Amino acid sequence: MKARLLAVAFATIVAACGSVGGGVDPSPTPVSSVTVTKTDNQRTVTAHVGDHIQIALGEDINWQLEPPDGVVLVQEPNRSYLLVRGTQAIWLARSAGRSTVKASGGMNCPSGSLCPMLLAVFTSTVEVVP
């Protein structure tokens, strides 16, 4: 059993490395990651082309994000990572420009409990520079 786990771990590491030979260039790795949080409400956040934009508004509100504009900020088609708790999305800064992040939602309340009728609204601008 131990040998099987070791073999699976080794295969996973080798697969993650990818091929070094010619062919198709691998997708570029992001320069950095920029996090947009509730404190950025009504503010502008700066990022660079290639950065990942993490929208992390927390868990107290059941946030519903509007999709990215598809030009400046895009959803990656083959996203292969899980979102951590409190993160609603991770988008890619594809080109220079400005894009608005909009979200709204109600309180996250346990099932069967009384929940205040509250609507939270969030708006932030991401300015992507080269």
Side-chain angles (χ1 to χ4, degrees):
M1 181 69 172
K2 191 175 184 180
R4 183 179 292 175
L5 288 175
L6 187 58
V8 169
F10 179 75
T12 302
I13 291 170
V14 170
C17 292
S19 65
V20 180
V24 178
D25 289 334
S27 60
T29 56
V31 175
S32 66
S33 180
V34 175
T35 304
V36 176
T37 65
K38 284 192 288 188
T39 60
D40 296 313
N41 192 27
Q42 302 296 317
R43 293 186 178 171
T44 299
V45 177
T46 303
H48 291 87
V49 172
D51 286 354
H52 279 141
I53 311 301
Q54 178 182 1
I55 314 300
L57 302 177
E59 298 178 73
D60 55 336
I61 304 290
N62 185 18
W63 292 106
Q64 300 298 315
L65 282 176
E66 290 185 12
D69 64 10
V71 177
V72 176
L73 298 179
V74 297
Q75 290 178 332
E76 294 179 277
N78 295 321
R79 185 178 65 96
S80 61
Y81 43 82
L82 297 175
L83 299 176
V84 296
R85 291 179 69 170
T87 295
Q88 287 68 38
I90 298 176
W91 296 336
L92 179 66
R94 176 174 278 168
S95 64
R98 294 172 73 92
S99 185
T100 303
V101 176
K102 292 182 181 181
S104 62
M107 296 295 294
N108 250 344
C109 299
S111 179
S113 67
L114 293 177
C115 195
M117 297 299 291
L118 172 72
L119 177 65
V121 179
F122 176 88
T123 303
S124 183
T125 301
V126 177
E127 182 171 356
V128 179
V129 296

